[in-house]
Amino acid sequence: MGFMQKFRQFMYGRNGFDTYSFFLFIIAFGVSTANWFVWDRLASLILYAVQLLFLGYAIFRILSKSVHKRSAENRTFLKVWNAVKNFFILQKNRIRDIKKYRYRKCKYCKATLRLKRRRGKHTVKCPKCRGEFKVNIIV
Ligand SMILES: [Zn+2]
């Protein structure tokens, strides 16, 4: 039996590689890189332990046979990751559009609306839920 076949047999019924594990590897790599710049022995040792924890957890997840639990964790991770990503995209757009638009949340459905920058109080109609509410654009 070849190595790949043995490996496939070993991995059968296990969670395998997913986005969350990939993220954990990246964190471990980041901690390891940061450790290059730490000269204090104790701090360096602690960072090394943290790195091993992340690596260990990533490997545990890859080899885990509780596939349902692991994929639920992965889904939760993706949800949080997307929320963080969208937050930064919104901040980037806010800066890009700072001269022409203002971003406000809909009072009812919490959708983020991009409004023309017109100073003063206006009534806005949300295109998503059709709810009307007042906004005050000061600057
Ligand atoms: Zn709305």
Side-chain angles (χ1 to χ4, degrees):
M1 203 158 48
F3 172 76
M4 278 318 283
Q5 210 176 343
K6 269 186 190 160
F7 181 71
R8 228 172 277 138
Q9 206 168 52
F10 174 73
M11 287 307 290
Y12 183 77
R14 294 174 195 269
N15 188 54
F17 202 72
D18 61 12
T19 319
Y20 187 26
S21 292
F22 179 70
F23 176 77
L24 293 168
F25 275 123
I26 296 289
I27 295 287
F29 180 73
V31 171
S32 144
T33 307
N35 214 349
W36 275 88
F37 304 98
V38 176
W39 294 103
D40 183 71
R41 256 186 146 179
L42 183 67
S44 183
L45 208 68
I46 290 168
L47 277 181
Y48 186 61
V50 170
Q51 180 198 339
L52 287 185
L53 276 176
F54 277 103
L55 270 182
Y57 186 45
I59 291 166
F60 160 77
R61 292 193 73 262
I62 289 168
L63 299 180
S64 173
K65 287 186 172 176
S66 309
V67 176
H68 285 288
K69 265 189 197 167
R70 299 292 89 79
S71 63
E73 283 167 8
N74 195 48
R75 273 195 303 276
T76 308
F77 166 75
L78 286 175
K79 237 184 244 169
V80 174
W81 177 252
N82 283 329
V84 170
K85 201 171 75 184
N86 288 339
F87 173 79
F88 282 105
I89 288 171
L90 177 64
Q91 301 318 312
K92 194 191 86 193
N93 291 345
R94 267 198 158 127
I95 292 166
R96 183 195 64 199
D97 296 340
I98 200 156
K99 281 187 176 163
K100 284 185 175 170
Y101 298 99
R102 287 296 175 265
Y103 287 77
R104 292 290 186 274
K105 254 195 177 128
C106 169
K107 208 171 135 184
Y108 306 102
C109 72
K110 308 293 175 209
T112 304
L113 311 180
R114 189 174 75 159
L115 311 168
K116 274 244 160 66
R117 179 188 168 204
R118 281 188 294 130
R119 270 175 208 155
K121 286 177 184 168
H122 313 287
T123 303
V124 177
K125 191 172 186 180
C126 171
K128 242 187 174 172
C129 71
R130 308 255 148 227
E132 282 187 19
F133 60 100
K134 280 189 164 53
V135 292
N136 188 9
I137 294 172
I138 300 161
V139 285

